[in-house]
Amino acid sequence: MPGTRDTMVYAFLGIFLLIGLSPLLARDVEITIEDTDLGLPLEGALIRSWDGGERICDEEGKVTLAVPDDRQVVIQVAYPGYESGRLVIPLTGDRFTLGLHLSGIMENQELVIEAQRPGVSETKSGRSVAISGDELTRTAEIGILEDVMTSIKLLPGVGYTGMFNARPSIRGGEPGDLTAVLDGFYIENPYHWGGSVSIFDPRMVQSAQLSHGVFSARYGHTISGLLEVSSRKPSFTETELELGVSSSAANLNLSIPLASKGGLMLMGKVTYWDPFVWTAQQLSTVVDNETLDQINAVSIAPYIRSTAFSVDYRFTPTLEWTMSGFIGGDGAGAAYQNEGYTEDGATELHNQTDMDFEWDNSLGFLITGLTLNPLPSMVLKTTLGAGFLKTKLDGNIYYNIHVPYSEDFRNQYGSLLEDNTAYVLEQDQRIGITNTAGSYQGRADLDWDLGKGFLVAFGLQELYSRWKLEDSIHGIAETKTPPEMDIPTPYINYPVDYTVDVNNQGLTSSAYTVLEYTTPNKRFGAEAGLRLDHVYFIGDDFTIRTVPAFNPRINLDFGVLQNKGILDSLTTTIGTGFFSSMTDNISQIERSNGIGDFEMKQNRSWTSVVGTKLDFLGGYSFNIEGYFKYVFDRAYTILSTDSESQTSSSDYLFDGEGRIWGFDLMLQKLESRYWDGWLSYSFNYARYRNPQALSTVGKDKQEEGIWFYPSFHRFHNLNLVLNIKPIKQFNIAVRLGLASGRPKAVVGEINPYAVLVMNDDKPLVIQKYKRDTYYSDNERTTWSIPLDLKFSWFFFNSKGKGQGEIYVAVENLMSLVYKAQANTSFNSYTGEEDTGSNAAVYELPIPMPSVGFKWSY
C-alpha cells in the first residue's frame, strides 16, 4: 500500500522522540508534609497529584513526585483530623514542605494517632489485596463497560470469566459466593444485566479490597471471597466537577464542600448502547459468524441508569457522620422472528419461530453511619442501612416447524406415523418471573487500642432479608420413557409447569471479637478472632431453626528482615480459620420441601494460608501465597420432573463438600514516572462432590456422588497489567491475560431417535436428533487469551486546577486471530451441526473499540 512504509517510519520515529525527550519535560521533586505546630512528619498523608494520581507519604512524611518543567502545578494534601492543604509547585526547586493545621479547635487535648477505623482498605499478605487511585482508574475506566470488577478480575486468585461476566470464581469458590460490602453494608446481588456488570462504577469508588485469605472476623457471609468497596469521599474545602463521556456512557460527578467541615458528592451515569448495537448488526451482514448474528435479535438495546450520592461531615474532631445512597435500573429486550422454507423432494416445508424477551431490573440502598472517638485510643462505628431489589423477566418462544422423516425412521415407525412424509410440531414456552428482595441492616464496631501493641475489637450485626418470588414457567420436558408406561418410543416429550409463589424472610445475627498484637519493631504480629453467625428462616406458614456457625480465625505475621540492601522488608504470614455463608437458593424454599429444624445448614469452609511478601527498593514488590480449603455442609439442589402431573420440583440438600488448594504469585511495580503495573499468576485445583446427585460418566452410565471439577474451574490464570508513560501527558495501558480452559462434556455422534409428543389433543411421534454427553475429568475448552489496549492523553490548564483525559481503547483484540473453542452445537430437529464451535466464554467475537473523554475541575 503506498505510504504505509513512510507512515510506520514516522510513527516509530515519533515514539522514539517522545521517549528520548521525556526526561527533559519533567523533573522529580521531594515534598514533606508535617504538623505545623509540632513539626512532626505526617506519615500516611494522602497526596493528590497534579495528574490525578494519589501518593502516600512515608514514615518521614516524604513523597517524591514527577512534575512538568514547563508550568507550575497544584497538588492537594489530606490527612485525617487535619485541614486539607494545597501546595503550588513553581518552575524551580526540588524540595518543598507543607504544614497542616488540626481541624477545628482542640484546646487542652494531646495529639494522638487514632486506631485504624473498621473497614479501612489495605493490602495484607495472606488476607487481602487492595486497589485504588491510578491502579483502579487505569484498569477499570476502559471500554464499553467501565466497572470496578474489571480491575478485580485482574488480581491474583480470581478466575477468568470473559468480558460480560462480573461474577468470577475466587480461589475455586462458587461465583455466587463472592460477597460485596459497600461502606460496611452487605449488598445483595450488586449487578446489572443479571451479573454481566457490577453496580460499582469506578467514578463512585475510592478503593476496593478483595479479601480471599484468612481475613478478619469483623466480616463474614462468605466462604470464598469478600469485596470491600469504599465509596468516593467529597472534598471538605474544594468544589469539584468531573465529567466523563465515552462511546457508550456518560458520567457526571459534583462535589460540594459543607462549611469546611464536610462535603456532598453527587454522581450519575447513563449508558447508550444503541449506536453500538446498530454497528454490530450492520457488521453481522458482512461477517459470517453465528454468535454475531444473535445481535440482530436485540429489540431494546441494553441500558443502565444510575445515580448515587455521598455525604461526609465532621461535627467535631472526634465525631464524623457519613451517608451514601444508590438507585439504579437496567434493562434489555430481544425479539426474533424467522420464517424459512425447505424442500424435501416435491414437498415444500414451512418453518416459523417467534421469540420475545424483556428484562427489567432496579435496585437501591441507603446507608448512614457515625464514627466516634470517645477516647483517643478508641473508635466506635455504627452503621444502619436498607436496600431493595426488583427483577422482572417476561418471555415467550413459539415455533411451528415442518420436518421431514428420514427413510430409516419411516421404515421403523411407519405404522405410528400419521403422515409418512413429514411431521408438523407446534409448541410454545413461556416464562414470567418477578422477584423482589429487601434488606435492613445494622451493625456496631468498636476498636480499642489497649496500648503496648494490643488492640481489641468487638462487633454486633443484624441482617434482615425478605424475598418475594412469583415465578411461572411453562416449558417442555423430555425424558426417557418410564418402564411402566406402554409407549413404543424410547423418549417422551410433554409440557411442564414450574411455579413458585413464596414470601420468605431470613434473620441473620452475628457477633465477633478480635484481639490484635504487634511488637514495637513490627517484627511480630498476631490477630485472633471468633465470629458467630446464626440464621433464622421464616416462611409463609413455617419456620426453620438452624445451628449457629462458630468461626474462629487466627493470623500470625513475622517481620523477618527490614532494610537489608535492596530489600526493604520481608514478611511471612500464617493463617487458618473457619467461614460460613448461606446460599441464595434458600429464598425459594417452601413448606412442601419438608426441611425441618436444624436440617438447613450454612455453607462452611476451613481455610489455611501461608504467604510471603518482599518489598524492594525502587517500588518493587513480590508476594506469594499458598492455600488449602475444605468445604463442607455445602448446599445444592436436585431438580426432578413428574411426567404424570407434568410438574417440576427441587430438593434441597446440605451435605455437599469440596477440596481446594493452590497458590498465587504477584510481582508488582508500584506507581512510578515511566512505567508501573503487575504480573500475577494463579494455580487452582478445585474438586466438588454432591453425595446424593447422579452424574452421567459414560454412555448409558450414571454414578452417584462423584468428585468433579465445577464448570467454572480453571487450573491456570495469568494477568499482565502494564502502564507505559513515555511522557507525563501520555499513557499506554496494556491488559493481557492467559487462562486455561474450563471443563466441557465428552460428546458422541449425532444420531436420530423417536419421541412421543404428548399434546393435549393428540399424541404425535416425531424424529429428533441427540448425541450422548457425559462428564470427564480430562476434557477442557481451549485457552482464553484476552488482550485490551488503552491510549490516554492527559491535559491540564496553566493554573493546575483543571485536568482532562482523552482515550482510545480496544478490548478483545485477540478475537481477530483467535477464539477459545468449546463443543459444537447442532439443531435437534434436523441434526444439522453448526460450523466451527461455540465460544468457551460468552462475548462477541469481534474487537470492542471505544473512545472517551474525562474532564475535572
Side-chain angles (χ1 to χ4, degrees):
M1 182 184 301
T4 301
R5 180 178 178 274
D6 293 339
T7 301
M8 294 180 63
V9 171
Y10 291 142
F12 281 113
L13 180 59
I15 294 175
F16 174 79
L17 290 175
L18 289 175
I19 296 175
L21 293 175
S22 59
L24 304 178
L25 301 176
R27 73 184 196 276
D28 289 335
V29 298
E30 182 182 86
I31 300 172
T32 302
I33 308 300
E34 62 181 26
D35 180 283
T36 299
D37 300 317
L38 302 178
L40 297 176
L42 297 181
E43 177 185 359
L46 176 65
I47 309 293
R48 181 171 295 176
S49 182
W50 62 284
D51 61 348
E54 294 180 349
R55 310 289 193 278
I56 301 297
C57 292
D58 61 18
E59 64 274 7
E60 297 180 353
K62 298 181 183 296
V63 69
T64 300
L65 298 177
V67 298
D69 276 339
D70 56 347
R71 67 185 186 280
Q72 68 178 22
V73 296
V74 178
I75 65 169
Q76 300 179 18
V77 184
Y79 191 76
Y82 285 76
E83 300 284 357
S84 298
R86 292 165 60 88
L87 177 64
V88 178
I89 307 297
L91 297 177
T92 59
D94 56 5
R95 285 183 174 86
F96 304 92
T97 299
L98 176 65
L100 299 183
H101 293 277
L102 288 170
S103 61
I105 300 175
M106 299 184 63
E107 297 180 354
N108 301 323
Q109 293 188 23
E110 60 178 334
L111 176 64
V112 297
I113 303 298
E114 295 179 352
Q116 184 186 47
R117 296 181 179 181
V120 172
S121 177
E122 61 179 339
T123 296
K124 276 194 173 183
S125 179
R127 298 171 179 80
S128 58
V129 57
I131 185 169
S132 60
D134 286 347
E135 289 180 347
L136 182 63
T137 299
R138 290 170 181 163
T139 54
E141 293 182 8
I142 175 175
I144 61 174
L145 293 174
E146 295 187 353
D147 184 9
V148 168
M149 284 305 300
T150 303
S151 299
I152 297 300
K153 290 190 291 185
L154 299 172
L155 297 177
V158 181
Y160 174 70
T161 62
M163 185 184 303
F164 295 103
N165 188 344
R167 305 180 69 176
S169 167
I170 308 298
R171 285 186 170 175
E174 297 270 2
D177 195 64
L178 175 63
T179 298
V181 177
L182 177 67
D183 297 335
F185 182 84
Y186 292 95
I187 301 178
E188 184 171 351
N189 198 24
Y191 302 103
H192 293 300
W193 300 335
S196 297
V197 57
S198 82
I199 65 172
F200 302 122
D201 185 277
R203 292 181 175 86
M204 65 174 280
V205 171
Q206 185 74 27
S207 64
Q209 176 176 298
L210 176 65
S211 299
H212 48 29
V214 182
F215 53 87
S216 173
R218 292 178 175 90
Y219 286 102
H221 304 303
T222 178
I223 63 172
S224 297
L226 175 73
L227 179 62
E228 296 178 70
V229 178
S230 298
S231 59
R232 192 169 176 179
K233 303 302 181 185
S235 172
F236 283 25
T237 58
E238 302 289 337
T239 298
E240 299 175 343
L241 177 65
E242 181 177 323
L243 172 66
V245 179
S246 70
S247 51
S248 58
N251 302 76
L252 179 65
N253 288 10
L254 175 63
S255 176
I256 304 172
L258 302 175
S260 297
K261 288 189 174 183
L264 167 66
M265 175 169 283
L266 303 173
M267 297 159 279
K269 176 179 180 178
V270 176
T271 64
Y272 36 84
W273 273 37
D274 300 83
F276 165 76
V277 170
W278 180 86
T279 302
Q281 289 174 338
Q282 303 309 306
L283 188 60
S284 69
T285 62
V286 296
V287 176
D288 185 17
N289 186 281
E290 294 163 356
T291 303
L292 185 60
D293 285 342
Q294 297 176 10
I295 197 71
N296 292 299
V298 175
S299 59
I300 301 176
Y303 66 86
I304 296 174
R305 310 284 187 266
S306 64
T307 183
F309 75 91
S310 176
V311 180
D312 193 343
Y313 194 84
R314 187 177 285 268
F315 295 100
T316 69
T318 61
L319 180 61
E320 182 180 5
W321 170 64
T322 61
M323 176 179 283
S324 57
F326 173 90
I327 185 167
D330 59 271
Y336 176 79
Q337 293 183 335
N338 180 56
E339 285 192 78
Y341 294 86
T342 59
E343 292 188 4
D344 180 43
T347 304
E348 187 180 66
L349 306 175
H350 171 251
N351 304 302
Q352 179 183 353
T353 303
D354 296 332
M355 179 186 72
D356 186 15
F357 282 92
E358 188 168 329
W359 163 275
D360 184 71
N361 180 67
S362 58
L363 71 161
F365 50 83
L366 181 66
I367 312 165
T368 185
L370 286 174
T371 302
L372 173 67
N373 295 94
L375 296 173
S377 59
M378 186 178 294
V379 179
L380 174 63
K381 184 173 183 178
T382 60
T383 305
L384 292 174
F388 77 93
L389 169 70
K390 184 174 183 179
T391 300
K392 187 175 182 180
L393 173 64
D394 292 307
N396 62 79
I397 301 177
Y398 167 81
Y399 50 90
N400 187 316
I401 57 176
H402 296 201
V403 182
Y405 292 117
S406 66
E407 183 176 353
D408 291 340
F409 191 87
R410 288 196 297 264
N411 293 335
Q412 183 175 359
Y413 295 100
S415 59
L416 302 176
L417 307 181
E418 182 177 346
D419 183 348
N420 284 334
T421 304
Y423 69 85
V424 178
L425 178 64
E426 183 177 8
Q427 287 182 326
D428 69 290
Q429 302 180 56
R430 301 179 301 277
I431 181 171
I433 295 177
T434 302
N435 293 344
T436 305
S439 66
Y440 302 90
Q441 301 177 35
R443 64 181 296 164
D445 303 88
L446 174 67
D447 280 23
W448 188 3
D449 189 345
L450 303 177
K452 297 184 179 181
F454 287 94
L455 183 146
V456 64
F458 306 95
L460 297 173
Q461 303 168 13
E462 286 290 340
L463 169 59
Y464 170 78
S465 300
R466 189 181 190 107
W467 311 281
K468 183 172 179 58
L469 295 85
E470 299 173 291
D471 301 352
S472 175
I473 301 174
H474 175 77
I476 304 297
E478 187 171 291
T479 61
K480 286 188 176 182
T481 303
E484 62 273 13
M485 298 181 67
D486 186 19
I487 294 178
T489 59
Y491 287 84
I492 56 175
N493 178 296
Y494 53 92
V496 60
D497 292 309
Y498 180 77
T499 59
V500 175
D501 187 5
V502 299
N503 190 359
N504 291 331
Q505 305 166 67
L507 182 63
T508 303
S509 303
S510 305
Y512 74 83
T513 180
V514 173
L515 177 64
E516 299 180 9
Y517 172 73
T518 305
T519 59
N521 58 8
K522 298 184 180 180
R523 288 298 182 93
F524 174 75
E527 178 184 344
L530 175 63
R531 182 180 180 89
L532 181 146
D533 292 299
H534 177 259
V535 177
Y536 182 60
F537 188 86
I538 307 170
D540 277 334
D541 53 355
F542 67 103
T543 61
I544 302 176
R545 292 179 293 171
T546 66
V547 177
F550 289 87
N551 297 313
R553 303 170 195 173
I554 186 170
N555 281 287
L556 302 177
D557 303 308
F558 302 91
V560 182
L561 293 174
Q562 288 183 354
N563 302 321
K564 297 294 184 180
I566 64 170
L567 189 63
D568 188 43
S569 66
L570 187 157
T571 58
T572 296
T573 298
I574 301 174
T576 188
F578 288 83
F579 300 83
S580 62
S581 69
M582 287 301 298
T583 179
D584 293 338
N585 292 338
I586 67 166
S587 61
Q588 303 181 25
I589 290 178
E590 299 180 82
R591 186 184 186 92
S592 59
N593 293 121
I595 301 175
D597 284 339
F598 309 114
E599 292 181 2
M600 177 190 292
K601 299 178 181 179
Q602 300 183 53
N603 298 329
R604 302 295 306 279
S605 75
W606 173 38
T607 301
S608 298
V609 177
V610 177
T612 297
K613 188 172 185 289
L614 297 93
D615 293 318
F616 299 92
L617 298 178
Y620 292 92
S621 175
F622 177 74
N623 189 51
I624 178 171
E625 296 180 14
Y627 58 90
F628 173 80
K629 290 196 293 187
Y630 175 63
V631 179
F632 58 100
D633 292 344
R634 173 176 160 271
Y636 61 98
T637 59
I638 298 177
L639 183 66
S640 58
T641 59
D642 189 333
S643 58
E644 293 185 3
S645 62
Q646 297 185 353
T647 59
S648 295
S649 61
S650 295
D651 295 325
Y652 294 84
L653 304 167
F654 302 92
D655 59 354
E657 57 181 329
R659 297 192 183 105
I660 304 168
W661 64 272
F663 61 89
D664 302 328
L665 310 173
M666 186 174 186
L667 175 62
Q668 186 174 17
K669 176 67 169 69
L670 302 178
E671 177 69 24
S672 67
R673 170 62 187 82
Y674 295 105
W675 72 278
D676 56 70
W678 69 81
L679 176 67
S680 67
Y681 168 74
S682 300
F683 174 83
N684 177 261
Y685 179 92
R687 300 268 280 178
Y688 285 82
R689 178 174 175 264
N690 298 331
Q692 301 183 53
L694 283 174
S695 301
T696 303
V697 296
K699 184 176 176 62
D700 299 325
K701 181 182 179 182
Q702 288 187 321
E703 293 183 7
E704 187 178 65
I706 68 168
W707 285 95
F708 61 91
Y709 294 108
S711 60
F712 50 82
H713 175 255
R714 297 180 187 271
F715 281 111
H716 310 280
N717 285 275
L718 184 144
N719 288 299
L720 172 65
V721 178
L722 185 61
N723 296 294
I724 304 171
K725 296 167 277 188
I727 63 174
K728 193 62 181 179
Q729 291 86 357
F730 186 64
N731 185 84
I732 303 172
V734 181
R735 303 187 314 201
L736 174 64
L738 187 63
S740 60
R742 299 183 297 110
K744 70 172 184 177
V746 177
V747 298
E749 295 183 356
I750 301 173
N751 295 308
Y753 67 103
V755 182
L756 177 65
V757 179
M758 303 175 67
N759 289 329
D760 294 335
D761 50 357
K762 186 177 182 181
L764 173 67
V765 176
I766 66 173
Q767 177 183 0
K768 292 184 67 177
Y769 292 83
K770 68 178 181 70
R771 61 183 178 192
D772 293 321
T773 62
Y774 56 90
Y775 172 81
S776 171
D777 285 341
N778 303 318
E779 289 293 315
R780 295 264 167 173
T781 62
T782 59
W783 289 60
S784 296
I785 312 176
L787 174 61
D788 308 324
L789 295 176
K790 179 183 178 183
F791 303 90
S792 300
W793 180 267
F794 302 95
F795 57 91
F796 314 89
N797 66 8
S798 58
K799 296 183 179 180
K801 290 186 176 181
Q803 55 187 6
E805 175 191 359
I806 299 175
Y807 76 81
V808 177
V810 182
E811 297 175 281
N812 199 28
L813 193 57
M814 285 295 294
S815 64
L816 291 172
V817 294
Y818 177 80
K819 181 179 71 173
Q821 302 294 304
N823 289 323
T824 59
S825 59
F826 66 97
N827 189 313
S828 61
Y829 292 99
T830 65
E832 181 181 358
E833 187 173 14
D834 296 334
T835 58
S837 70
N838 291 334
V841 294
Y842 184 75
E843 55 191 22
L844 293 178
I846 55 174
M848 310 289 282
S850 60
V851 296
F853 167 80
K854 183 172 69 173
W855 177 80
S856 61
Y857 183 83

